[in-house]
Amino acid sequence: KELGVTGGKTEAINKFGIEKIVSECKNVVKKYNEKWVQVDDLLGMSFNHDKAYWTFKDEFIEREWQVLKKAHENKILEEDFTVIAYCPSCQTSLSHAEVNQGYEEVKDPSLFYKVKLADEDAYLIVWTTMPFTLVTDAMVGLHPDEDYVYVKVENESWVVGKTRLEDFMIEVKIEDYKVEKTVKGAKFEGKKYIHPLLDKIPQLAECAKQENFHVAVSEDFVDATTGSGLVHLSPANGEEDIKIANKRGVKVFSPINDEVKFTEDAGEYQGLFVRDADRTIVEDLKDCNALVRIGKIKHKYPLCWRSHHPIVWLARKGWFYKLDRLDNKAIDAAESVEYFFDQPKNRFLGIIKERHPWCISRERIWGCPLPVWDCGDCGEKNWFFSRQEIIDSSDSLPDGENFELHRPWIDNVTIKCKKCSSTNTKREEYVLDTWHNSGSAPYSSLTDDEYTKEIPAPFFTEGIDQTRGWAYTLLIENVILNNAATPPYKSFLFQGHVLDEKGGKMSKSKGNVIEGQELLEKYPVDLVRFYFIWKASPIEPLSFSTEELMSRPYQVINTLYNLHLYFKQNSEYDNYNSTNTVQWAKENNLLSSPDI
Ligand SMILES: [Zn+2]
Ligand SMILES: [Zn+2]
């Protein structure tokens, strides 16, 4: 944004190059740091700013790598080809925590289409909100225990879930239909169907020749209470879908590139941004008489927290922390912490118990680089966890031994493969999830001695939105680092959000944001602090109103202030010694009840 880039990542790199972007990022960090220092000062908070840590600096990066090293040694860290949330604008994967930050209400297509069963004169009616996923379609799912009905509609026989039948018919505006027979979902297992767009996607037609491709499957995850009660599975675009494909040995057809556009393998849809293909695909379904109805649905859908672009799910390679391999260590660590309130505690423990794999690699420019080099000859993944290790195995160091560990300088280093000694090696151009940086801070920002002495820290506090964010990554990384149920904090207070005076979310687009700095320049900090304490419990959201701030809280603080002035003036007049203690007051009988 600072450089005036309006497009995505590719445009930015082509226009400016990585070095320019990195130096601009450093400026942004510097700018916001200055703001923080000013606000800390206004708040009367005392920090040792000389010892502030900077996640982009070499010393931080090298220590952060030690977490990776432990994860690597203990086989927590693993590369995987799986479906991940991906932002088409930032062109990088997102973690579950990031996806959960950005749900908003959006309008999507609600598409009902039909696929003909190969060996029966009947059609499966399928529902999806993402028409583009028909390109990567591999299976149609039915719930094993649901009753599915064959209904006669004009001259055709359609298969629809019984639970949804009436609502479905209303939605697709069909009044004339006749139920023919009822069959359990499990009975459809293995029935082959004919995908309606095969002539437009020759590579998909190739896949369809396989016996287990384009078949009905009966699976428990199918929700028989939405749509038509039948869903289609696109292993390249759904987390659950790829799991089922892997379980059943079904090929993952993924003709989608980094910019989330269809590749040549997608046939006629080549070059289209996947979501832009939605409309074309609906048109094509209509042309081949496979469209049942296209409507719109309003639902909550995740947007990227950085770019506000709707997220898509893609099959990608990435590096993961397989958190199920920590056994109960993370849960035990989390349970040993004091949270002060039950509600945020239970929510946090619930998230830890999910043990969902954490995708830690990001295809970005700014961030802690992943220190792994691929060998172009033997395929070995060469890991190094310190500058010295890299230097010792280096083949060429174009920027000398003191090269900056950040991108792009680390990318210039080539190493000798540990396995085959080939110098045909290249660093995988990943950086770590930014929440990995902050999660490693207790270790990365301190020396070994300081870490041993200070961690677990007595108290941490953060906004409730950080339950899946910082609170989570701090805990997980400390457990990985110690390979033990050791939390990095003894207590953690989750705080509710500050909202606008009507209880709405503050956002730049609404123009209702109160900047901390402006507020504190205008109002006394003690008043603001008192208002926070007076108005709500720390876990509750707080509707912030400067009008309210200036009413009752101001009166109370003002009274206290004037009492203080009154005392100060009179005690000076009476030559009162202000160093007198409570003990002194007791000894002089000033604290006993008056004898009246
Ligand atoms: Zn994004
Ligand atoms: Zn090799």
Side-chain angles (χ1 to χ4, degrees):
K1 204 160 110 193
E2 310 291 323
L3 289 165
V5 181
T6 49
K9 189 171 83 175
T10 311
E11 187 202 316
I13 294 179
N14 290 342
K15 211 162 158 192
F16 296 101
I18 293 181
E19 201 166 331
K20 174 81 185 144
I21 295 168
V22 166
S23 94
E24 199 53 49
C25 288
K26 287 180 185 168
N27 287 339
V28 172
V29 171
K30 206 169 145 237
K31 183 174 109 189
Y32 284 106
N33 176 64
E34 278 164 14
K35 278 200 174 185
W36 273 113
V37 173
Q38 284 166 10
V39 175
D40 289 344
D41 192 47
L42 285 169
L43 277 167
M45 289 172 83
S46 143
F47 282 109
N48 184 354
H49 284 292
D50 296 335
K51 272 208 80 187
Y53 62 85
W54 305 84
T55 56
F56 66 83
K57 290 202 173 168
D58 289 354
E59 52 274 24
F60 192 96
I61 289 175
E62 258 193 304
R63 283 185 76 81
E64 185 170 359
W65 283 349
Q66 302 316 301
V67 181
L68 281 175
K69 186 180 180 180
K70 277 289 157 79
H72 182 68
E73 281 171 7
N74 294 321
K75 310 242 177 318
I76 308 291
L77 178 63
E78 195 176 272
E79 193 181 30
D80 210 350
F81 179 66
T82 182
V83 168
I84 50 180
Y86 189 88
C87 171
S89 174
C90 304
Q91 290 175 27
T92 187
S93 53
L94 297 162
S95 68
H96 258 237
E98 288 173 305
V99 172
N100 276 292
Q101 279 185 37
Y103 275 84
E104 274 177 41
E105 187 136 294
V106 298
K107 255 192 196 165
D108 267 328
S110 168
L111 167 68
F112 291 98
Y113 66 98
K114 55 190 181 190
V115 296
K116 196 186 163 301
L117 287 170
D119 301 320
E120 270 179 59
D121 194 11
Y123 293 84
L124 303 177
I125 306 300
V126 188
W127 181 64
T128 180
T129 57
M130 290 189 271
F132 79 86
T133 57
L134 260 85
V135 176
T136 53
D137 172 80
M139 292 166 270
V140 166
L142 300 93
H143 195 283
D145 302 328
E146 169 74 1
D147 287 326
Y148 287 87
V149 288
Y150 283 72
V151 286
K152 197 93 188 160
V153 177
E154 292 180 12
N155 295 322
E156 288 176 356
S157 195
W158 292 4
V159 176
V160 180
K162 195 175 177 187
T163 310
R164 284 287 302 162
L165 180 63
E166 276 154 33
D167 288 335
F168 161 76
M169 287 300 181
I170 293 168
E171 250 184 278
V172 300
K173 299 192 164 59
I174 291 175
E175 287 167 6
D176 246 8
Y177 62 92
K178 209 177 117 219
V179 175
E180 294 177 317
K181 59 175 173 176
T182 305
V183 177
K184 278 269 184 254
K187 295 271 188 226
F188 287 86
E189 174 67 39
K191 288 190 178 182
K192 194 107 178 138
Y193 64 85
I194 302 158
H195 189 288
L197 303 175
L198 290 183
D199 56 331
K200 300 196 181 291
I201 317 163
Q203 286 305 316
L204 187 65
E206 277 304 305
C207 297
K209 288 178 184 163
Q210 293 169 28
E211 219 170 277
N212 63 358
F213 207 91
H214 287 163
V215 294
V217 294
S218 101
E219 288 283 353
D220 284 328
F221 92 97
V222 176
D223 180 2
T225 65
T226 57
S228 59
L230 294 91
V231 292
H232 82 121
L233 282 80
S234 293
N237 299 107
E239 283 180 286
E240 201 63 44
D241 313 40
I242 199 169
K243 269 189 220 158
I244 288 167
N246 288 340
K247 186 178 81 180
R248 292 169 171 266
V250 174
K251 184 184 158 73
V252 178
F253 178 59
S254 182
I256 299 169
N257 68 14
D258 283 359
E259 294 176 67
V260 200
K261 289 178 179 163
F262 282 119
T263 64
E264 203 183 334
D265 282 352
E268 288 194 9
Y269 306 105
Q270 178 186 355
L272 282 176
F273 171 59
V274 295
R275 293 244 58 167
D276 290 344
D278 281 351
R279 186 180 301 184
T280 319
I281 283 165
V282 171
E283 284 300 314
D284 290 345
L285 287 174
K286 198 170 160 191
D287 289 347
C288 63
N289 190 33
L291 179 69
V292 174
R293 181 158 184 94
I294 179 76
K296 284 230 181 310
I297 182 175
K298 258 196 196 170
H299 63 165
K300 294 253 178 187
Y301 192 85
L303 307 183
C304 171
W305 63 276
R306 280 198 184 86
S307 66
H308 287 280
H309 203 287
I311 287 166
V312 290
W313 274 261
L314 293 184
R316 310 270 309 174
K317 269 206 215 153
W319 288 92
F320 291 80
Y321 282 161
K322 300 284 186 170
L323 299 180
D324 53 336
R325 298 182 192 160
L326 287 174
D327 304 321
N328 282 325
K329 291 186 198 106
I331 296 157
D332 291 347
E335 277 176 347
S336 70
V337 174
E338 167 68 63
Y339 300 94
F340 309 102
F341 298 93
D342 280 344
Q343 198 190 347
K345 171 186 172 176
N346 293 337
R347 192 167 159 249
F348 187 54
L349 293 181
I351 292 167
I352 302 275
K353 281 176 189 162
E354 286 172 12
R355 305 188 200 195
H356 202 280
W358 173 12
C359 176
I360 57 160
S361 55
R362 295 290 180 277
E363 294 151 75
R364 298 182 66 82
I365 296 163
W366 176 253
C368 177
L370 233 73
V372 59
W373 276 256
D374 282 352
C375 175
D377 290 329
C378 77
E380 176 75 358
K381 308 258 170 200
N382 292 273
W383 283 94
F384 303 98
F385 299 104
S386 71
R387 172 192 299 280
Q388 198 54 50
E389 283 178 40
I390 296 172
I391 292 171
D392 291 346
S393 288
S394 66
D395 173 54
S396 81
L397 294 165
D399 302 296
E401 289 198 353
N402 285 321
F403 67 95
E404 213 178 311
L405 294 179
H406 202 282
R407 293 189 72 184
W409 302 280
I410 193 167
D411 301 333
N412 301 335
V413 176
T414 55
I415 57 104
K416 258 201 254 24
C417 174
K418 291 185 207 175
K419 198 168 160 193
C420 75
S421 296
S422 163
T423 55
N424 177 20
T425 58
K426 195 172 182 333
R427 192 184 77 83
E428 293 192 6
E429 290 185 347
Y430 292 116
V431 300
L432 284 170
D433 179 2
T434 171
W435 300 103
H436 192 285
N437 304 157
S438 42
S440 80
Y443 181 78
S444 303
S445 68
L446 300 174
T447 63
D448 281 344
D449 281 351
E450 287 167 335
Y451 175 78
T452 315
K453 218 174 104 200
E454 308 287 349
I455 305 296
F459 179 73
F460 266 67
T461 182
E462 253 297 348
I464 191 82
D465 56 309
Q466 291 303 320
T467 315
R468 275 183 191 274
W470 200 36
Y472 182 81
T473 62
L474 279 166
L475 185 106
I476 294 293
E477 286 180 59
N478 206 60
V479 168
I480 289 175
L481 187 70
N482 292 283
N483 196 25
T486 321
Y489 36 72
K490 289 183 187 137
S491 66
F492 202 111
L493 174 66
F494 291 102
Q495 300 202 41
H497 282 159
V498 178
L499 307 171
D500 75 8
E501 55 189 332
K502 294 187 194 92
K505 196 175 159 187
M506 288 193 195
S507 78
K508 275 197 182 138
S509 56
K510 278 196 216 156
N512 59 353
V513 176
I514 301 175
E515 288 286 348
Q517 186 162 2
E518 284 169 30
L519 179 83
L520 292 169
E521 276 162 1
K522 211 163 155 193
Y523 300 95
V525 62
D526 287 324
L527 174 60
V528 174
R529 254 202 287 261
F530 177 67
Y531 178 53
F532 270 84
I533 300 166
W534 171 83
K535 169 108 185 176
S537 144
I539 55 163
E540 305 290 339
L542 185 150
S543 307
F544 195 98
S545 149
T546 47
E547 202 179 308
E548 190 179 41
L549 172 84
M550 288 306 289
S551 61
R552 191 72 189 134
Y554 180 77
Q555 288 168 6
V556 174
I557 282 282
N558 198 34
T559 306
L560 288 171
Y561 176 70
N562 283 311
L563 264 173
H564 150 83
L565 270 191
Y566 176 81
F567 172 75
K568 190 164 175 281
Q569 284 164 357
N570 282 281
S571 59
E572 271 168 17
Y573 181 75
D574 289 337
N575 291 322
Y576 173 72
N577 178 359
S578 65
T579 61
N580 283 336
T581 60
V582 174
Q583 191 57 35
W584 171 87
K586 271 187 191 161
E587 281 162 9
N588 286 280
N589 256 348
L590 294 173
L591 292 181
S592 50
S593 302
D595 189 17
I596 43 172

